[in-house]
């Protein structure tokens, strides 16, 4: 009774009736901050109890993050590969069964609609996970293909276990084959008779796994994981901690680091894969796909466009939302994501910059940071250097088998 | 595999025009047609005891003078209506209104005052139709086509409209998106005259007289009359066939090769370049230029295939409104029937049954809900048969029934007979001996037209001729200049600008575009 009363109290702060993931009760029992946000219509924790501790659990023990709110589309049918080859920019025919690929898809102008991960479960069975909702686009694209698109977002839930001890926890749970699971590979197994799909993927740049399962077994499953992890520092985390880790890993997020062409109202906000630093994903040698012609044509033009860069900034102030200048006076772009990185001990950022084709501007970039200190802004002009992402490159991320710790 | 410079798909009038025009420039052209003969939806079919006539197209308001001149068709025999076509507005209650040629230059059966008001209104209509008339022979200015010449023409069209004077221009802006019902009710009183004008504004398009923009349907029709060859319509008696035959002869003389009974199953595409076509019987032909005169829906979704097209484009093509809404009833009678007032029905007239504006609107309401109209509106042409056979002296009545749903609530099994009966009983009221002399009757519904004539939805215009699908929005903005995202593939059917009846400018404009492209 007491528990349910608490829940009601909490809900008053929310105006919207939000969905609750099957793991909601688990996170609600842990959280102390009352800091929730609306992720894709789900009530999701921003912070569970302590942002820093949660971040360090990703880097030194094991974190548990609820990825249920992700959009999950099942793509099944004899022409699933052909369909995905039209939809996405990679050559799906080259993707092996039981692997996961990071991919993206474009509109007819070659502008990126969204990025996501594509799980090849079997020859003609795929799962596509994305940040934004795309069911109408997928269904319209599937016209003319023998393929069925199923939105399983509400029927399948997911948990992301990220951190150095994540493999050990899965070993304790009796997951055979975890030692042989290479990065971006997946397999299906059972934990205490609960069928799961496990893949060595994540959004942290660390050793980690994503696990998908049916909603009805979620509570039983998370209890097993939690109990197995008690001696391995397992910690429930919210979005803020994950966000720090993903910036360190140099991952971009749709509608934070770039505007999805689906959402953009202003035509010049749309970005092509090259502009996002993801040109290497695009396979121009495969057959027709959405946006191919526009992408090829854009390579011929020499127009000045905004591109995403990874930046290191002098000093220790995070530069969130700051403007970047050339020669301290000409605006060249804006920071889209920034933190002070605990791993590199530096202020790092992702930014959209328009630098033109000449490299001359690169050595003379500055960021204007307004740092609020006890009701007074300190206006700082800090030197910026462009680096190659990721900011943090951990060998354990790809070590196979993962270390026992 | 046989190789040509150009392959044209579909031997309708637009296909014939493109083929003839391109062949006359020295190109080796192959025209592939699914049916047994040329003519598309205007082709002749054997209807009854060896008697042949166009099953669908009984008459056309006009064929473009540009087409006649450009292809030199005047050297062939094309049967025009020398005196112009008069229309009788049939009425079961009041006196019939006789609408003079050239869309009511003179009218019998209305008062002097009423005629004075009509005259002014008619003049206004014709003035405003200038907008379409001028643009019809131009390749639409759009995202792909922005040549200086076409922009100048667009500007001159606007300027010319503006130069008609401030008042006239304001009047155009006021009227252009209005419904035809408001416009005729502002000025006219005679119910059957209002019914007749509403009928003509909305025939073949899915709008009622009270739907906004239905006035555009009339403007479009008038612009065709003005842009047609000497402002004449084709003769009721064999005019359509003579025009189609002239086009065929012209194509033949220019050296076009023909393949009949060859249904194209797909356009061969490699890396977004069209290289040939494949027929259902397995034959393949190759060419650098492929021109499709069939519906854009069939062209893109069936022949090119969604796997070769951007999702954005297939989305727009699938969103086209292309279900047909007009059916055709052909009846062969022993002799021409007499009207109530013992006057003979005249075979040189067009008869329209649309007794009032309310009747046309209520017909459209039924269509909206996929139901049969309770009192269908229709037009009739009588065509005397002169042949060697026993049919000599008989008469064919071509009846075009407005507002027939493509997908009927319920099924067509019994409804087809019901619809026929409704129309015949209406005629019966006006001409009591009509049904006695019926030798043969057949009704072609939109979904049957779709199958028989290989046109998606069975729509005469391939897709709706409405404000959101005209000029550079026809069929959609990114393929409005007759070219497509597939290199070497062009479209030229009625689904492209300007479309419409047997106008023929879609084909001619597309041919000009192709000639210009290949010079580059």
């Amino acid at each position: 009774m007491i528990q349910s009363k608490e829940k009601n109290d909490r809900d008053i702060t929310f105006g919207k009736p939000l969905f609750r993931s099957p793991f909601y009760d688990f996170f609600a029992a842990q959280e102390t901050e009352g800091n929730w946000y609306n992720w894709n219509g789900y009530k999701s924790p921003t912070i569970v109890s302590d942002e820093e501790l949660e971040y360090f659990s990703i880097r030194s023990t094991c974190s548990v993050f609820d990825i249920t709110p992700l959009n999950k589309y099942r793509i099944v049918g004899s022409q699933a590969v052909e369909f995905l080859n039209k939809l996405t920019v990679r050559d799906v025919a080259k993707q092996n069964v039981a692997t996961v690929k990071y991919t993206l898809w474009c509109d007819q102008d070659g502008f990126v609609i969204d990025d996501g991960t594509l799980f090849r479960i079997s020859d003609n069975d795929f799962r596509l996970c994305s940040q934004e909702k795309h069911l109408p686009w997928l269904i319209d694209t599937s016209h003319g293909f023998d393929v069925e698109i199923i939105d399983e977002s509400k029927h399948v839930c997911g948990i992301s276990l990220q951190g150095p001890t994540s493999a050990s926890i899965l070993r304790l749970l009796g997951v055979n084959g975890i030692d042989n699971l290479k990065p971006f590979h997946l397999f299906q197994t059972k934990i205490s008779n609960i069928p799961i799909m496990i893949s060595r993927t994540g959004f942290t740049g660390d050793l980690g796994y994503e696990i998908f399962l049916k909603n009805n077994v979620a509570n039983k499953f998370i209890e097993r994981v939690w109990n197995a992890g008690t001696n391995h520092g397992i910690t429930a985390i919210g979005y803020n901690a994950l966000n720090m880790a993903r910036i360190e890993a140099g991952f971009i997020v749709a509608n934070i680091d770039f505007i999805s062409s689906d959402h953009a109202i202003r035509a010049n906000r749309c970005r092509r894969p090259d502009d996002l630093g993801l040109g290497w994903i695009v396979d121009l040698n495969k057959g027709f796909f959405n946006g191919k012609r526009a992408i090829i044509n854009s390579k011929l033009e020499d127009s000045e466009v905004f591109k995403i860069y990874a930046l290191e900034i002098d000093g220790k102030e995070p530069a969130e939302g700051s403007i970047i200048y050339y020669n301290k006076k000409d605006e060249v772009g804006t920071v889209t994501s920034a933190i002070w990185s605990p791993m590199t001990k530096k202020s790092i950022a992702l930014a959209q910059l328009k630098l033109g084709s000449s490299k001359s501007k690169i050595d003379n970039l500055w960021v204007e940071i307004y740092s609020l200190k006890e009701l007074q802004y300190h206006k700082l002009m800090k030197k910026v250097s462009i680096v190659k992402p990721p900011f943090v490159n951990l060998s354990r991320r790809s070590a196979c088998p993962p270390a026992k710790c | 595999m046989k190789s040509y410079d150009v392959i044209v798909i579909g031997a309708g009038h637009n296909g014939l025009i493109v083929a003839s025009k391109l062949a006359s420039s020295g190109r080796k052209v192959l025209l592939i047609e699914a049916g047994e003969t040329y003519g598309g939806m205007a082709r002749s079919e054997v209807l009854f005891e060896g008697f042949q006539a166009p099953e669908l197209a009984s008459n056309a308001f006009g064929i473009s003078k540009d087409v006649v001149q450009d292809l030199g068709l005047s050297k062939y025999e094309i049967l025009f209506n020398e005196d112009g076509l008069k229309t009788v507005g049939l009425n079961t209650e009041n006196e019939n209104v006789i609408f003079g040629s050239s869309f009511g230059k003179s009218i019998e059966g209305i008062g002097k005052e009423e005629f004075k008001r009509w005259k002014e209104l008619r003049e206004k209509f014709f003035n405003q139709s200038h907008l379409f008339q001028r643009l019809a022979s131009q390749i639409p200015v759009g995202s792909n086509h922005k040549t200086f010449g076409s922009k100048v023409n667009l500007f001159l069209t606007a300027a010319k409209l503006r130069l008609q004077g401030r008042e006239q221009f304001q009047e155009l802006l006021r009227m252009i998106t209005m419904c035809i019902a408001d416009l005729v009710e502002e000025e006219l009183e005679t119910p059957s005259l209002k019914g007749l004008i509403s009928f003509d504004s909305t025939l073949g398009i899915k709008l009622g007289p009270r739907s906004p923009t239905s006035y555009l349907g009339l403007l479009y029709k008038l612009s065709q009359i003005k842009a047609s060859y000497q402002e004449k319509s084709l003769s009721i008696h064999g005019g359509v066939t003579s025009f189609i035959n002239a086009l065929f002869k012209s194509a033949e003389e220019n050296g076009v090769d023909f393949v009949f009974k060859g249904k194209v199953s797909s356009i061969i595409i490699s890396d977004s370049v069209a290289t040939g076509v494949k027929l259902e019987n397995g034959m393949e032909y190759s060419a650098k230029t492929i021109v499709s005169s069939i519906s854009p829906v069939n062209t893109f979704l069936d022949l090119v295939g969604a796997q070769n097209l951007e999702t954005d484009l297939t989305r727009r093509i699938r969103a086209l409104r292309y279900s047909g809404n007009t059916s055709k009833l052909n009846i062969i009678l022993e002799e021409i029937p007499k009207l109530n007032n013992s006057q003979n029905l005249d075979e040189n007239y067009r008869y329209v049954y649309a007794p009032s504006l309310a009747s046309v609107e209520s017909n459209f309401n039924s269509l909206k809900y996929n139901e049969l109209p309770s009192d269908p509106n229709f037009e009739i042409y009588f065509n005397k048969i002169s042949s060697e056979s026993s049919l000599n002296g008989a008469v064919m009545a071509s009846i075009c029934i407005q507002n027939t749903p493509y997908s009927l609530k319920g099924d067509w099994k019994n409804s087809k007979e019901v619809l026929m009966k409704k129309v015949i009983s209406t005629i019966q009221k006006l001409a009591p001996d009509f049904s006695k002399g019926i030798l043969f009757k057949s009704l072609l519904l939109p979904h049957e037209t779709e199958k028989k004539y290989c046109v998606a939805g069975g729509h005469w215009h391939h897709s709706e001729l409405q404000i959101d699908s005209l000029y550079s929005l026809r069929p959609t903005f990114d393929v409005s200049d007759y070219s497509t995202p597939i290199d070497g593939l062009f479209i030229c059917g009625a689904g492209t600008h300007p479309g419409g009846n047997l106008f023929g400018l879609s084909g001619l404009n597309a041919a000009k575009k192709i000639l210009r492209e290949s010079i580059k």
Side-chain angles (χ1 to χ4, degrees):
Chain A
M1 268 318 283
I2 293 165
Q3 223 180 355
S4 72
K5 190 166 176 281
E6 263 179 18
K7 269 185 202 168
N8 285 339
D9 288 343
R10 216 178 267 131
D11 283 353
I12 290 168
T13 57
F14 266 91
K16 281 184 198 165
L18 293 170
F19 293 116
R20 287 177 178 185
S21 129
F23 301 114
Y24 174 82
D25 289 341
F26 169 77
F27 281 91
Q30 312 250 351
E31 73 89 25
T32 56
E33 295 296 288
N35 206 339
W36 301 81
Y37 78 115
N38 174 353
W39 178 19
N40 208 1
Y42 282 85
K43 186 173 174 182
S44 308
T46 314
I47 301 167
V48 175
S49 57
D50 184 302
E51 195 175 315
E52 273 81 28
L53 282 180
E54 287 167 33
Y55 164 78
F56 280 108
S57 76
I58 299 174
R59 294 297 182 218
S60 47
T61 56
C62 179
S63 64
V64 182
F65 183 72
D66 184 3
I67 54 170
T68 305
L70 270 180
N71 292 296
K72 300 168 284 283
Y73 301 105
R74 197 65 172 262
I75 295 151
V76 195
S78 66
Q79 285 189 301
V81 173
E82 286 87 344
F83 158 73
L84 285 163
N85 261 342
K86 173 181 173 178
L87 177 78
T88 64
V89 298
R90 281 188 116 131
D91 191 349
V92 180
K94 287 183 190 161
Q95 180 175 347
N96 293 328
V97 172
T99 63
V100 186
K101 293 277 185 200
Y102 173 66
T103 188
L104 45 86
W105 49 101
C106 300
D107 64 14
Q108 62 173 1
D109 299 309
F111 293 130
V112 177
I113 296 173
D114 203 355
D115 58 352
T117 41
L118 182 64
F119 298 72
R120 187 165 194 175
I121 298 166
S122 71
D123 274 341
N124 295 323
D125 187 358
F126 292 84
R127 174 177 287 154
L128 185 64
C129 293
S130 67
Q131 174 74 10
E132 300 290 336
K133 290 185 166 69
H134 297 292
L135 191 61
W137 181 257
L138 297 185
I139 288 175
D140 284 356
T141 305
S142 74
H143 180 83
F145 293 94
D146 174 30
V147 70
E148 198 186 349
I149 317 281
I150 305 149
D151 183 356
E152 40 173 34
S153 303
K154 292 277 181 303
H155 312 295
V156 170
C157 58
I159 274 290
S160 176
L161 298 177
Q162 303 282 317
T165 63
S166 54
S168 301
I169 293 172
L170 289 169
R171 272 186 213 111
L172 275 178
L173 283 164
V175 179
N176 294 323
I178 204 72
D179 286 330
N180 300 325
L181 187 63
K182 285 186 251 169
F184 292 106
H185 280 65
L186 67 88
F187 68 90
Q188 315 220 27
T189 183
K190 281 180 178 175
I191 290 183
S192 316
N193 255 338
I194 301 167
I196 58 164
M197 185 180 92
I198 180 163
S199 61
R200 190 164 164 187
T201 48
F203 212 48
T204 58
D206 215 306
L207 170 67
Y209 302 87
E210 287 173 327
I211 297 161
F212 291 100
L213 61 154
K214 287 267 157 58
N215 280 355
N216 55 357
V217 282
N219 277 325
K220 194 172 144 198
F221 172 77
I222 195 72
E223 202 185 306
R224 298 285 145 82
V225 173
W226 190 250
N227 291 338
T230 38
N231 292 333
H232 287 83
I234 195 166
T235 310
I237 67 162
Y239 175 72
N240 282 4
L242 179 83
N243 191 43
M244 287 168 76
R246 75 98 188 162
I247 295 172
E248 286 185 330
F251 295 145
I252 55 172
V253 179
N255 293 324
I256 292 179
D257 297 298
F258 69 97
I259 301 293
S260 155
S261 76
D262 247 11
H263 291 233
I265 296 167
R266 296 160 184 86
N268 65 355
R269 299 297 195 274
C270 300
R271 300 287 176 260
R272 297 209 168 88
D274 277 334
D275 310 337
L276 304 182
L278 297 170
W280 59 274
I281 286 183
V282 182
D283 189 344
L284 291 174
N285 297 320
K286 72 167 181 170
F288 175 82
F289 61 88
N290 277 333
K292 183 180 184 184
R293 177 174 284 226
I295 290 171
I296 292 172
N297 289 343
S298 74
K299 286 182 194 293
L300 304 174
E301 296 165 14
D302 191 31
S303 59
E304 280 200 5
V305 287
F306 279 98
K307 292 189 177 191
I308 290 192
Y309 292 91
L311 310 178
E312 278 181 10
I313 297 163
D314 281 0
K316 52 185 177 104
E317 301 296 333
E320 218 172 344
S322 301
I323 294 174
I324 311 272
Y325 293 89
Y326 163 66
N327 199 16
K328 295 192 182 177
K329 62 175 200 284
D330 300 331
E331 271 183 40
V332 290
T334 319
V335 170
T336 54
S337 296
I339 50 159
W340 184 81
S341 156
M343 288 292 276
T344 60
K345 308 282 184 272
K346 275 175 191 160
S347 171
I348 60 170
L350 298 168
Q352 291 204 10
L353 306 179
K354 198 193 230 172
L355 298 177
S357 49
S358 75
K359 304 252 172 193
S360 59
K361 288 183 178 172
I362 285 174
D363 297 328
N364 195 3
L365 293 176
W366 300 83
V367 60
E368 186 179 41
I369 303 172
Y370 287 79
S371 168
L372 185 61
K373 287 184 176 148
E374 296 184 326
L375 295 183
Q376 274 186 26
Y377 273 113
H378 292 235
K379 188 174 148 186
L380 311 168
M381 194 60 104
K382 293 287 185 187
K383 184 89 176 69
V384 166
S385 44
I386 293 176
V387 297
K388 205 171 169 281
F391 297 98
V392 173
N393 202 352
L394 299 163
S395 59
R396 63 171 174 260
R397 182 180 155 270
S398 48
C400 196
K404 293 190 166 112
C405 56
Chain B
M1 192 180 356
K2 263 196 159 175
S3 170
Y4 287 85
D5 294 329
V6 180
I7 293 172
V8 180
I9 303 167
H13 68 293
N14 282 315
L16 287 165
I17 290 165
V18 165
S20 179
K21 174 90 181 151
L22 293 179
S24 73
S25 73
R27 287 167 170 76
K28 224 175 121 194
V29 180
L30 176 70
L31 182 47
I32 303 175
E33 163 63 39
E36 288 180 13
T37 182
Y38 52 89
M41 283 197 268
R43 74 178 177 228
S44 289
E45 289 279 322
V46 176
L47 293 176
F48 178 62
E49 289 186 4
F51 170 66
Q52 275 195 8
E55 189 179 20
L56 279 173
S58 35
N59 172 269
F61 264 107
I63 49 170
S64 162
K65 61 180 159 223
D66 293 4
V67 172
V68 175
Q69 282 161 3
D70 209 291
L71 297 178
L73 296 182
S74 40
K75 70 178 170 189
Y76 309 103
E77 193 191 12
I78 302 180
L79 304 173
F80 287 107
N81 226 322
E82 289 303 328
D83 309 325
L85 183 66
K86 286 188 181 175
T87 301
V88 179
L90 295 172
N91 208 317
T92 45
E93 283 154 27
N94 306 313
E95 207 178 318
N96 295 339
V97 172
I98 303 178
F99 209 58
S101 63
S102 201
F103 203 70
K105 211 170 188 174
S106 61
I107 300 187
E108 293 166 42
I110 57 169
K112 246 187 183 172
E113 283 299 305
E114 177 84 339
F115 182 67
K116 210 176 141 196
R117 289 190 294 266
W118 162 246
K119 218 177 132 186
E120 276 174 29
L121 190 62
R122 179 181 170 275
E123 200 176 326
K124 214 186 258 179
F125 288 165
F126 268 104
N127 264 336
Q128 298 187 351
S129 73
H130 179 79
L131 170 68
F132 284 133
Q133 188 202 332
R134 219 188 138 98
L135 294 177
S137 56
Q138 298 291 322
I139 300 168
V141 177
S143 51
N144 298 326
H145 186 77
K146 302 177 212 171
T147 59
F148 181 71
S150 56
K151 279 189 200 163
V152 167
N153 196 281
L154 192 58
F155 174 78
L156 288 179
T157 305
K160 186 145 188 201
L161 286 167
R162 180 66 188 82
L163 287 175
Q164 288 181 347
R166 187 194 169 91
E167 239 169 72
Q168 293 264 29
F169 190 63
Q170 279 181 342
E171 195 63 356
L172 169 69
L173 295 182
R174 179 181 78 92
M175 287 164 68
I176 190 114
T177 56
M178 277 177 73
C179 66
I180 189 67
D182 284 354
L183 289 172
V184 293
E185 282 187 333
E186 268 176 10
E187 302 291 341
L188 304 175
E189 280 168 0
T190 321
S192 52
L193 182 58
K194 288 193 273 190
L196 184 60
I197 297 166
S198 322
F199 178 86
D200 271 346
S201 305
T202 54
L203 182 64
I205 56 176
K206 200 173 181 176
L207 288 179
R210 292 204 185 280
S211 317
T213 72
S214 56
Y215 171 52
L216 273 176
L218 182 62
L219 277 190
Y220 194 86
K221 202 157 274 189
L222 297 182
S223 72
Q224 280 197 329
I225 294 177
K226 279 179 83 180
S228 67
Y229 186 63
Q230 293 172 353
E231 296 196 23
K232 287 179 203 161
S233 59
L234 288 166
S235 162
I236 300 173
H237 312 290
V240 170
T241 309
S242 73
F243 172 59
I244 293 297
N245 285 341
L247 285 176
F248 176 69
K249 276 181 213 155
S250 155
E252 220 175 21
E253 278 170 26
N254 285 328
V256 175
D257 282 358
F258 287 86
V259 168
F260 291 109
K261 289 195 253 179
K263 192 170 184 198
V264 176
S265 61
S266 65
I267 294 170
I268 304 165
I269 292 162
S270 73
D271 210 12
S272 291
V273 179
T275 57
V277 299
K278 194 175 173 183
L279 306 193
E280 268 181 2
N281 62 18
M283 286 289 285
E284 287 186 14
Y285 298 94
S286 76
K288 270 192 180 155
T289 305
I290 318 269
V291 194
S292 170
S293 75
I294 64 171
S295 139
V297 178
N298 294 120
T299 306
F300 287 115
L301 300 184
D302 301 342
L303 301 193
V304 174
Q307 61 276 14
N308 289 307
L309 294 168
E310 297 282 348
T311 303
D312 302 72
L313 180 62
T314 53
R315 249 186 187 177
R316 283 190 286 272
I317 295 293
R318 290 173 63 215
L320 290 179
R321 303 189 300 280
Y322 58 87
S323 40
N325 43 52
T326 316
S327 57
K328 183 69 192 296
L329 174 60
N330 291 316
I331 299 180
I332 293 174
L333 299 158
E334 278 174 346
E335 56 176 3
I336 195 147
K338 280 186 165 60
L339 278 177
N340 268 338
N341 52 12
S342 76
Q343 238 178 344
N344 258 338
L345 281 164
D346 194 312
E347 57 191 74
N348 290 313
Y349 281 54
R350 175 174 78 119
Y351 292 89
V352 173
Y353 177 72
S356 66
L357 201 157
S359 155
V360 182
E361 182 68 18
S362 88
N363 263 243
F364 170 65
N365 282 342
S366 313
L367 175 71
K368 257 194 318 202
Y369 301 110
N370 289 329
E371 290 162 359
L372 281 188
S374 57
D375 183 20
N377 299 140
F378 52 86
E379 61 170 15
I380 320 177
Y381 298 93
F382 291 101
N383 183 356
K384 213 164 209 170
I385 302 170
S386 54
S387 71
E388 309 273 295
S389 71
S390 58
L391 279 179
N392 196 18
V395 171
M396 171 174 161
S398 313
I399 305 170
C400 181
I401 309 167
Q402 194 184 19
N403 293 327
T404 314
Y406 171 79
S407 43
L408 188 73
K409 217 182 256 176
D411 72 278
W412 272 111
K413 221 173 178 181
N414 301 319
S415 307
K416 196 168 167 177
E417 196 63 33
V418 171
L419 180 62
M420 255 194 287
K421 267 188 190 151
K422 276 181 176 172
V423 172
I424 291 172
S425 78
T426 307
I427 305 174
Q428 190 81 6
K429 273 184 221 159
L430 301 154
D433 293 336
F434 185 81
S435 61
K436 280 184 200 160
I438 294 179
L439 298 171
F440 162 86
K441 60 182 186 210
S442 85
L443 175 63
L444 199 66
L445 296 163
H447 68 274
E448 294 166 338
T449 308
E450 173 175 48
K451 220 173 157 200
K452 189 162 179 185
Y453 290 86
C454 306
V455 52
H459 200 296
W460 288 8
H461 300 307
H462 291 188
S463 89
E464 281 288 319
L465 264 174
Q466 288 186 28
I467 193 164
D468 59 343
S469 51
L470 291 175
Y471 193 60
S472 53
L473 299 175
R474 187 164 184 83
T476 79
F477 68 89
D478 42 3
V479 290
S480 65
D481 67 337
Y482 310 101
S483 71
T484 68
I486 307 296
D487 285 337
L489 175 67
F490 295 84
I491 48 173
C492 74
T496 61
H497 168 80
N501 305 325
L502 286 175
F503 209 20
L505 279 177
S506 293
L508 192 66
N509 288 353
K512 285 179 184 168
K513 167 84 182 175
I514 293 161
L515 290 174
R516 180 186 301 171
E517 290 268 300
S518 34
I519 287 166
K520 264 195 262 166

